[in-house]
Amino acid sequence: MYDVIIIGAGSAGMTAGIYAAKNKVKTLVIAKELSAGKMADDDMAGVADKLKAGFLQCLKIKKEYLEFQEDEVLTLEKNVISFSVETKSGQNFYAKSVIIASGETRAGFDLLTYKDITDRIKVDSSMRTNIPGIFAAGGVTALSTNDTFVNIGEGARALLSAMDFLKQPA
C-alpha cells in the first residue's frame, strides 16, 4: 500500500511527486503520459523545463519512495482504511491518501468529491476536498488559474497537506 497516489503528471502532479520523494513518502504517480509533454504556455517554458527535468530525473532514479505507472485512471473509491484506484489496464492500487492533479481534464472517475458548476473539484486553501484523505491541485480544481507557478505551489501544498493527514492517528 502506498502513502499517496498522485493522479496526473502536469506541473501540480510532478511537483507533488518530487516533494514526496524528497520527504520519503511512499508514492505512486499514475498518468496517461509520463513524458511531461504538456506543461505550460510559452512564457513559462523555462520554469516548465526545470520542472520537467526534475521529474525526468526522478523517472530515471526511481527512488524507493516514488513509482510511476503510465495508465488511465477509471475509478477512485474510498474503502474503510484506504482508497483504491483502478486503471484502464485493470490494475488496482491502494493508498492512504490521494492527490488528484489531472489537469483541465475533468475528473470523471471521481464521483466522491464536491464539484462546482464547471465540474471542477472544490478545495480549501490547503487543497483538501470534502473527503478526508483526498486532495486536489492544479487545473482540476475550482481555484484553478491555469498558471504554472500557481499549479506548482498547489502541488506542493497538496503533498504537504497529505503528509499532515498521514500523521493523524487512524
Side-chain angles (χ1 to χ4, degrees), residues 27-157:
T27 303
L28 173 66
V29 176
I30 303 173
K32 288 181 189 178
E33 295 179 40
L34 290 172
S35 63
K38 294 185 213 174
M39 279 279 309
D41 39 46
D42 292 337
D43 61 330
M44 301 302 291
V47 172
D49 287 343
K50 287 184 179 174
L51 194 54
K52 286 179 198 176
F55 189 69
L56 293 173
Q57 181 67 20
C58 287
L59 278 170
K60 284 182 191 174
I61 295 171
K62 289 202 176 190
K63 295 185 178 188
E64 63 185 282
Y65 297 102
L66 186 59
E67 296 179 31
F68 301 91
Q69 180 71 33
E70 193 163 358
D71 208 340
E72 183 177 349
V73 172
L74 295 180
T75 63
L76 167 61
E77 295 180 0
K78 180 161 179 36
N79 304 317
V80 175
I81 60 168
S82 67
F83 296 93
S84 61
V85 174
E86 181 182 6
T87 63
K88 193 172 187 176
S89 67
Q91 295 184 64
N92 288 296
F93 300 98
Y94 299 90
K96 298 172 192 169
S97 64
V98 174
I99 297 173
I100 302 169
S102 53
E104 291 185 27
T105 303
R106 300 300 181 259
F109 57 80
D110 176 28
L111 302 175
L112 299 172
T113 59
Y114 293 149
K115 300 197 176 82
D116 68 4
I117 58 170
T118 64
D119 205 31
R120 292 180 188 253
I121 299 171
K122 292 183 180 182
V123 293
D124 67 10
S125 61
S126 294
M127 312 319 294
R128 293 180 295 234
T129 69
N130 61 298
I131 305 294
I134 298 182
F135 307 87
V140 74
T141 71
L143 300 177
S144 177
T145 62
N146 291 323
D147 182 283
T148 299
F149 284 123
V150 173
N151 292 345
I152 290 168
E154 288 181 0
R157 183 69 199 137

Side-chain angles (χ1 to χ4, degrees), residues 2 11 14 42:
Y2 295 94
S11 53
M14 285 197 297
D42 292 337

Side-chain angles (χ1 to χ4, degrees), residues 14-27:
M14 285 197 297
T15 300
I18 290 167
Y19 271 80
K22 181 179 176 182
N23 287 285
K24 299 181 180 178
V25 176
K26 188 173 178 185
T27 303

